[in-house]
Amino acid sequence: HVLVGARRAASFLSALREMASRLNATGTIHFKGCAMFRHRIVAATLAGRTIRITDIRAGSDAPGLRDFEASFLRLVEKVTNGCVIEINDTGTKLRYKPGMITGGAGIEHDCGKSRGIGWFLEGLLPLAPFAKQPIAIQLKGLTNEETGLSVDYMRTVTLPLLKHFGLSEGLELRVNKRGARPDAGGQVVFRCPVVKALKPVELLNQGQVRRGPGGGGLRGSTV
């Protein structure tokens, strides 16, 4: 789990470095291809910079954005105010102008059946602490799936790590109902407080592995 988390964190940092290297440029920042799609959208939102992505799977038999990528854009729309998203007819070109991260309560989003809820949470987590209001959002879809992080990983590994950065009171990921393929049907509630700035963290002691907890669940259950 730690190695998986480290690789995913490195991927996001790579996108941030790529974005930072272009911040001095004027106008819209241009990217090509579908690689690091979420990361580029998140980095653009945090930096407040307009981006344009072209050649999205242009050479594929099924070119353009996938349904889960379009769904992630809709999720970003729900937690921000004033963003502008322009997509061409084939889905191979995208222009994204970020808005203000507003957050708020009572937000709902259906993540669909192509990617798990964890995939969407990975993109939401970097945005939530910097919203104008604490976020409380209900996400529906796959809580457990074989190609991405489960909500249990996010709850037991990712959230405890975030607490080191000053996110503690009000940070919660609660599983109301589990969902798996083919019908999905899972429901989780994610709550996150806001911070003015993240605390610097220095974690030097890796500790020892003393036990390896496991678990199981039934589709539609709350455990």
Side-chain angles (χ1 to χ4, degrees), residues 13 30 37 61 70 78 141 154 159 162 164 190 206 219:
L13 289 174
H30 183 206
F37 177 80
D61 292 337
K78 291 178 180 180
M154 306 296 289
L159 261 62
L162 287 177
H164 292 288
F190 172 62
Q206 63 182 7
R219 188 169 60 204

Side-chain angles (χ1 to χ4, degrees), residues 11-212:
S11 176
F12 179 65
L13 289 174
S14 175
L16 286 180
R17 285 194 295 268
E18 183 183 23
M19 181 70 71
S21 68
R22 305 186 185 193
L23 283 180
N24 291 330
T26 58
T28 301
I29 302 174
H30 183 206
F31 298 100
K32 288 187 177 182
C34 62
M36 298 190 294
F37 177 80
R38 288 172 303 166
H39 307 80
R40 288 170 174 171
I41 296 298
V42 169
T45 304
L46 293 173
R49 295 297 304 271
T50 300
I51 64 172
R52 182 164 57 95
I53 306 176
T54 60
D55 296 336
I56 302 174
R57 299 184 182 89
S60 171
D61 292 337
L65 292 171
R66 297 291 183 259
D67 59 346
F68 54 87
E69 292 166 332
S71 180
F72 181 72
L73 291 173
R74 291 193 294 271
L75 173 61
V76 172
E77 278 188 304
K78 291 178 180 180
V79 299
T80 61
N81 181 38
C83 77
V84 178
I85 300 172
E86 300 172 355
I87 304 173
N88 71 340
D89 292 339
T90 61
T92 56
K93 296 181 181 180
L94 163 73
R95 179 180 178 270
Y96 171 68
K97 180 181 179 182
M100 180 183 299
I101 309 172
T102 52
I107 307 172
E108 295 185 3
H109 184 72
D110 191 335
C111 301
K113 303 176 183 179
S114 298
R115 287 295 179 95
I117 292 174
W119 187 85
F120 290 84
L121 277 173
E122 279 188 285
L124 182 60
L125 280 173
L127 300 176
F130 304 104
K132 290 295 182 182
Q133 299 177 9
I135 282 181
I137 182 171
Q138 182 184 82
L139 299 171
K140 302 178 181 179
L142 299 166
T143 57
N144 302 79
E145 55 109 6
E146 61 278 1
T147 62
L149 298 180
S150 70
V151 294
D152 300 292
Y153 177 94
M154 306 296 289
R155 180 175 54 83
T156 60
V157 178
T158 306
L159 261 62
L161 286 175
L162 287 177
K163 291 181 180 180
H164 292 288
F165 292 89
L167 296 166
S168 54
E169 185 176 351
L171 183 64
E172 178 190 13
L173 179 59
R174 186 177 72 249
V175 180
N176 288 339
K177 185 189 298 183
R178 293 192 177 275
R181 289 191 171 95
D183 301 324
Q187 294 181 8
V188 306
V189 174
F190 172 62
R191 302 178 189 277
C192 183
V194 297
V195 293
K196 292 183 178 180
L198 298 177
K199 293 182 180 179
V201 174
E202 187 176 53
L203 299 176
L204 301 177
N205 182 12
Q206 63 182 7
Q208 296 181 348
V209 178
R210 299 184 181 274
R211 59 181 179 178

